[in-house]
Amino acid sequence: MTIAVLKYWILAAMGIGTSYYVNKGKTKQSLYKSKIMVRSMMMDIIGILMIIGVIMAFIPMELITKYLGNDSQLGLSLLGASIVGGITIIPAFIAFPLVAALQEQGANIMVITAFLTTLTMVGVATMKIEIGEFGRKFTFIRNSLSFILAIAIAITMGVIL
Amino acid sequence: MKILKFLKKNTLFTIGMMLYGLVAIIEPGQIKSVAYYSYIYFKELFEVLPLIVLLATVIDAWIPKELILKKLGKDSGKMGYFYAYIIGSISAGPIYASFPIVRLLMEKGASVGNAVIIISAWAVIKVPMLVNEVKFLGMNYMILRWVLTIIAIFIMSQIVQKSVSKEEALASKSNSKIQPLEIIEAYCIGCGICSKISPADFEIIDEKAKVKEGYSLGPTIKAASNKCPTNAIVINGKRSIE
């Protein structure tokens, strides 16, 4: 464990300790909510860790570089990643290690950013619920704009970093 | 049958198992190094996990969400943008969990633009998640994406504000009869807290909470509604967060 992480741990422990001291009931209730949330993600976490293992050790780096890191077809990779991100529903929590693994194996930063951003902001799977609450026009405009802007964010990131 | 149901519900786990199986068949010698990398990332993830949980807990316990929500409901002006970002960023749960809350805020006076800010910030900017992002992609990456996202969300809110009127956005809802007590099934994660707190009123069937027949609206139901991690329990058309 690195010192930096240890520092955060202590900081967080102090925070929660203070919170507990000031209001036991409130803190307990919120802690319980967090526990349930983590528990409901457990199987997804195990699954993503298995997938990451295969990406890191089994899938040849050239393959990932070819499809997700090749400059000559960056546009296509970018679009593909955005579409996959838009239709997939996985918790953001486990998306970070996944894209970190992909990046380490040669994926382009624009491609992983596009995936990350559309993953959370565009919701094809939840569109039906969104339409139910806010109507077709709102839902369609919001999701299309999110899609376009996610790609814009990705490109900007790639240019700056 | 039960196993099949389990695999279907846990898609990522199933994919992971299938990939491991594939490796075991094609190149059994490789399985050890695959497992090694899974372990490395497991370690990384669980280093930050407690910090994320703690942050989420402190935010949930101490940020006066109700107060901010109240301010947003009125004609909130420029400060409204700020409140909208805050509410979105500190809330837990998936994007669709924001929809009913945002709708209610709109009915109480929040603008279409602010609705877009809340929904988008809710989806993308999660304070505890920023820690995870720093851990796996670095501080520079996180800050840059965060800044760009805030800008992008603002642009988006202004465009939607100009193109969709509030009446249009709110007209869609079919005015279904308000039940004294109901559970929004899409939000329920089947954790069983409600049936534990109030066994006379709730039960878990097929991993979803159901309202029992002959329930009686009382303090235990209210308590269950408050404890529900996804705020899925609706009492007289109101979720506990309101």
Side-chain angles (χ1 to χ4, degrees):
Chain A
M1 193 183 287
T2 61
I3 296 197
V5 171
L6 202 64
K7 214 163 60 189
Y8 289 138
W9 267 61
I10 294 166
L11 198 76
M14 269 161 36
I16 203 99
T18 316
S19 171
Y20 196 83
Y21 178 75
V22 179
N23 193 328
K24 194 173 153 189
K26 232 179 183 174
T27 309
K28 256 183 149 169
Q29 184 173 331
S30 301
L31 202 59
Y32 193 64
K33 273 189 191 177
S34 303
K35 195 182 95 188
I36 295 295
M37 281 305 205
V38 172
R39 212 172 60 189
S40 70
M41 272 194 317
M42 233 26 178
M43 292 314 285
D44 282 346
I45 293 177
I46 296 169
I48 212 80
L49 288 170
M50 294 173 97
I51 294 170
I52 288 172
V54 174
I55 290 172
M56 295 298 289
F58 191 69
I59 297 179
M61 203 170 165
E62 301 79 55
L63 199 72
I64 292 174
T65 311
K66 188 180 162 198
Y67 288 106
L68 301 175
N70 194 339
D71 284 344
S72 64
Q73 49 160 18
L74 195 58
L76 205 65
S77 306
L78 206 56
L79 195 68
S82 308
I83 293 171
V84 172
I87 52 180
T88 319
I89 23 169
I90 61 171
F93 178 72
I94 55 173
F96 291 113
L98 175 68
V99 300
L102 284 171
Q103 195 194 15
E104 208 164 307
Q105 291 295 88
N108 186 291
I109 196 165
M110 293 192 202
V111 177
I112 61 160
T113 308
F115 171 76
L116 262 187
T117 310
T118 53
L119 177 70
T120 42
M121 207 147 64
V122 182
V124 173
T126 53
M127 259 186 189
K128 223 181 118 190
I129 312 178
E130 192 172 349
I131 290 172
E133 297 282 358
F134 305 110
R136 277 173 205 282
K137 198 173 166 190
F138 178 96
T139 306
F140 182 73
I141 295 177
R142 194 194 71 78
N143 281 285
S144 337
L145 277 176
S146 295
F147 189 81
I148 296 164
L149 285 165
I151 294 177
I153 290 172
I155 293 172
T156 316
M157 298 277 296
V159 171
I160 295 177
L161 289 177
Chain B
M1 264 340 266
K2 228 176 178 175
I3 294 173
L4 248 150
K5 220 171 165 182
F6 173 83
L7 290 177
K8 208 180 152 197
K9 202 181 145 236
N10 299 289
T11 324
L12 284 174
F13 178 73
T14 309
I15 295 173
M17 287 297 266
M18 274 163 33
L19 286 174
Y20 260 57
L22 217 62
V23 174
I25 292 165
I26 301 172
E27 248 178 282
Q30 281 274 47
I31 200 81
K32 225 173 144 182
S33 58
V34 169
Y36 172 74
Y37 275 107
S38 291
Y39 170 68
I40 293 284
Y41 273 79
F42 163 82
K43 250 173 57 183
E44 300 265 314
L45 197 58
F46 278 75
E47 242 174 38
V48 279
L49 180 68
L51 180 53
I52 290 167
V53 168
L54 292 170
L55 263 178
T57 307
V58 171
I59 288 173
D60 185 73
W62 292 107
I63 302 222
K65 207 167 172 175
E66 291 76 17
L67 218 77
I68 305 176
L69 284 172
K70 243 178 223 156
K71 288 197 171 145
L72 252 176
K74 292 173 202 133
D75 181 24
S76 47
K78 287 251 179 335
M79 275 309 274
Y81 297 134
F82 176 71
Y83 292 136
Y85 276 111
I86 297 287
I87 276 296
S89 307
I90 60 164
S91 299
I95 181 169
Y96 54 76
S98 73
F99 298 155
I101 295 165
V102 170
R103 192 186 157 88
L104 194 101
L105 285 173
M106 284 171 85
E107 283 163 6
K108 285 187 178 166
S111 67
V112 175
N114 280 341
V116 173
I117 293 179
I118 300 173
I119 294 173
S120 311
W122 190 303
V124 193
I125 311 169
K126 291 276 175 62
V127 175
M129 282 304 127
L130 296 178
V131 176
N132 211 17
E133 192 165 348
V134 171
K135 168 84 184 164
F136 285 101
L137 298 164
M139 184 63 94
N140 288 343
Y141 182 95
M142 183 280 277
I143 292 176
L144 187 58
R145 198 172 82 99
W146 184 68
V147 171
L148 289 174
T149 305
I150 288 180
I151 298 169
I153 289 175
F154 191 75
I155 296 171
M156 196 152 64
S157 74
Q158 296 309 301
I159 299 176
V160 180
Q161 168 93 37
K162 292 227 160 60
S163 23
V164 185
S165 74
K166 203 153 139 182
E167 289 69 38
E168 274 176 302
L170 292 180
S172 61
K173 189 97 165 181
S174 53
N175 268 333
S176 52
K177 216 173 75 198
I178 291 176
Q179 301 290 330
L181 178 64
E182 62 181 331
I183 295 166
I184 309 174
E185 196 169 294
Y187 303 159
C188 175
I189 54 172
C191 68
I193 293 177
C194 54
S195 60
K196 219 162 87 190
I197 294 175
S198 191
D201 308 302
F202 301 101
E203 58 190 334
I204 304 288
I205 300 170
D206 283 336
E207 295 183 36
K208 291 276 177 194
K210 297 275 182 314
V211 177
K212 275 191 178 174
E213 248 174 77
Y215 64 86
S216 59
L217 277 182
T220 55
I221 287 186
K222 182 82 188 134
S225 169
N226 284 333
K227 288 247 164 139
C228 175
T230 55
N231 300 314
I233 301 171
V234 187
I235 303 169
N236 290 323
K238 284 194 167 190
R239 301 174 84 197
S240 74
I241 185 175
E242 296 141 19

